[in-house]
Amino acid sequence: MRYRPTAFGYVDPDVSRCVEWDRAQVYRLARHLGYSVMWHDLSSVLPLFDQVRAADVDAVVVPGPDHLGPLELNRVMDVADVETVLPRLSFARWSMTWAGQ
């Protein structure tokens, strides 16, 4: 992770009605939460989880929960927090400690 908190902005173009608007909303929320923003690479063949892990960011910001499937959300939460614009939700990354310890 970086000295300044960094977020990965992600907008699924297949779900979004207006990609530019969703990108602006994601950017606005990320900046409001104190993150500098990096954007996903649409031309990459890597799944979102691998892009997030390689970018080593603190959070992933999406326009809404429909931009991530449940399995994708689960995988991303292994390495980063997830924030959604509308509805305003926060999903904290999974803890690395075991409950039995």
Side-chain angles (χ1 to χ4, degrees), residues 8-90:
F8 197 78
Y10 178 73
V11 176
D12 185 347
D14 295 331
V15 175
S16 179
R17 292 183 185 179
C18 181
V19 174
E20 294 82 17
W21 175 257
D22 285 341
R23 283 179 60 99
Q25 294 299 309
V26 165
Y27 182 78
R28 182 174 174 258
L29 176 62
R31 298 293 296 178
H32 176 74
L33 294 174
Y35 295 111
S36 60
V37 182
M38 298 174 59
W39 292 97
H40 71 287
D41 184 6
L42 286 174
S43 63
S44 176
V45 295
L46 292 175
L48 177 63
F49 168 76
D50 290 328
Q51 289 185 46
V52 170
R53 187 180 51 177
D56 192 30
V57 294
D58 300 295
V60 175
V61 183
V62 295
D66 53 341
H67 287 256
L68 295 176
L71 296 177
E72 194 172 33
L73 174 64
N74 184 48
R75 290 198 71 201
V76 169
M77 286 175 54
D78 282 338
V79 294
D81 298 338
V82 177
E83 304 283 344
T84 65
V85 175
L86 191 64
R88 182 66 191 95
L89 299 170
S90 295

